[in-house]
Amino acid sequence: MNLKKNALILFIAVFSIVLVLTGCSNEKSSKKEPADSNGKVKPLIVGLSPAGQWQENFNPFSTTAMGGTNGLIYQSLYYFDNVSGDEYPMLATEFEWTNDNTTLVTKLREEVKWSDGESFDADDVLFTFNLLKEYPASDNSGIWAQVTSIEKQSDYSVAFNFDQANVPFQDYVLGSLIVPEHIWKDQGDPSKAKITDPIGTGPYLLKSFSPQLYTMVKNPDHYNAAEYTVEEIQFPAFSGNDSEQLALSKGEIDWAGIFIPDAENVFVAQDPDHNNFWFPASNNVTLYPNLKNELLSDIAVRRAISLAIDRQKLSDQAASGYDPLPSTTALILPRDKEWIDPSIPNDQLSYELNVDKAVQTLEDAGYKKGDDGIFVSPDGKKLSFTLQTVSGWTDWATMAQLISQSLTAMGIEVIVDMPEFATYSTNVQGGEYDLAISWTNAGSTPYRQYQDMLNSNGSWNLQQWSDPKTDEALQTYQGTTDKEKQLEAVYYLQNVMVEHLPTIPLVNGPVWYEYRTENWEGWPTEENPYVNPAPFNWPAPAITISKLKPAN
């Protein structure tokens, strides 16, 4: 240990004693900065999804922008988290619905500066949304398909007007990134802008960029600069999961979000004092039955399929047991526990594995096994289906094979088909499939998943469920801020899932998240799940970074 470091430790020790004797308390005085062997403060090193070399892109309107563009450099008005269900104010401090829930009014944060020193106000907000209106290719959330007009009520108040109430759409409006008018007014089409020197309101600034590494440093003029202890963040590039996993296990990065088979032995055991992981549920990985198929439209067939699937085996063999098992309601638990309909018996909230019951269900509905052991419908149609998943998605491929084996063994023939993603995507969205494994879209409440999956015009209603009462329940939720009315609507929707199986959830898709506590502490954990913990789910990582403190 060098003399400077010894002197620093001696000073801290003496200063701490003085604080105790004077009755003072200062938490930061008991912390040490994470430092290397030369005493230099270490950066926070983040492993994003492996992508080979970085392609410089800090355009906030691009769907392929560099990690940190959203949240660290540019900010939205609010962030609504899909793991904790919490909401975080950013450039706005509060919002409310007025005018029978057709006007969303936001109060903006005052005394905010863009990183070039210019002031932020309502004009920047109006400019940003009008830019999306002028150039629809950049309106990735479809804001102007819902919003009819935007009004500046004052320098720090903006109102968004809707034709009809759409309360859950606040997540998209308030979650849109805001850009400075004085910079972007001359950029033209924002979707085509090349941004290498980004000017934002966020807590960090771009320091340097190379195809192998880019670095951000703390913005000292950020309105919440005091909340951010991390002075520098580094984002190294990795060619694949293996190289990133090796760097993580060697302690060369602090934070990652990759799938590690047998993480307990492969990662944690390398440094049990500091290496940790937590894989919370974030959405449903679901078996979609094409309800336009005459056989799959029969609830008896869907119920038999569900009863014959060993979901624990899917998790164990496809994802090392890290995929949480789903609820029959399709709610994401434990996040959505407050939404569970109390009238549903506990034993009906989990899926049952019962092959004998599956067989009995089909026989009771008039199905009989043929000479080849495969069931045939009362009108002579064989229960034989293709099951599509994506070529190269090894976890889903494993699930598909396991499903095929178990269903074929009990009398429903399933043939696995694994096209490339582009073909798969075209097929499932065009209804050209029998069965398909796919995802669901999660939001901060159950609404988005139900809306996308069950609305007759939902954006991810792959199975083509159509039920006026389902649409009515979704409309009720959409039109109110009354939590009791929202609960009533969600109760109906989860009972649709339990009783009718419009889709068949297989497992919950987890958030991959590994972290090390050698240098930094304050990470999201199962005991303190304050935000989505993945380093790639922006802007959630900005929340995590604001909570990090130097390790003791």
Side-chain angles (χ1 to χ4, degrees), residues 30-48:
S30 65
K31 299 284 187 182
K32 66 176 182 179
E33 293 292 314
D36 60 22
S37 58
N38 297 316
K40 182 181 178 181
V41 175
K42 288 184 178 180
L44 173 69
I45 304 179
V46 181
L48 299 179

Side-chain angles (χ1 to χ4, degrees), residues 282-338:
S282 66
N283 69 339
N284 281 299
V285 176
T286 293
L287 184 66
Y288 286 85
N290 188 337
L291 300 180
K292 298 301 181 183
N293 181 302
E294 179 183 351
L295 295 171
L296 291 170
S297 67
D298 185 348
I299 181 60
V301 174
R302 299 200 301 277
R303 195 169 300 284
I305 288 173
S306 181
L307 284 165
I309 293 174
D310 187 340
R311 291 169 172 80
Q312 187 62 60
K313 183 182 287 188
L314 299 187
S315 177
D316 290 343
Q317 296 192 21
S320 296
Y322 296 132
D323 285 356
L325 299 188
S327 166
T328 56
T329 62
L331 295 172
I332 306 301
L333 302 176
R335 185 200 70 186
D336 295 336
K337 59 188 177 186
E338 66 174 315

Side-chain angles (χ1 to χ4, degrees), residues 50-102:
Q53 293 190 334
W54 296 129
Q55 304 294 318
E56 190 170 15
N57 176 13
F58 294 93
N59 181 346
F61 297 105
S62 170
T63 57
T64 59
M66 305 303 302
T69 302
N70 177 356
L72 296 183
I73 294 177
Y74 296 94
Q75 293 183 295
S76 56
L77 302 178
Y78 261 80
Y79 168 61
F80 300 88
D81 189 63
N82 65 354
V83 167
S84 66
D86 292 340
E87 59 187 46
Y88 290 91
M90 291 191 168
L91 290 176
T93 57
E94 58 185 72
F95 64 90
E96 66 173 338
W97 285 92
T98 63
N99 194 25
D100 292 329
N101 296 327
T102 61

Side-chain angles (χ1 to χ4, degrees), residues 131-156:
L131 194 63
L132 298 179
K133 186 176 185 179
E134 183 178 359
Y135 298 98
S138 295
D139 188 5
N140 298 314
S141 297
I143 300 296
W144 285 100
Q146 300 293 328
V147 173
T148 56
S149 64
I150 302 177
E151 301 174 10
K152 175 182 176 181
Q153 295 189 330
S154 73
D155 285 344
Y156 295 99

Side-chain angles (χ1 to χ4, degrees), residues 499-521:
E499 296 170 10
H500 300 287
L501 280 78
T503 69
I504 305 170
L506 300 173
V507 295
N508 284 152
V511 173
W512 303 121
Y513 161 56
E514 300 86 17
Y515 63 101
R516 303 189 69 254
T517 57
E518 181 177 12
N519 297 318
W520 303 97
E521 59 185 28

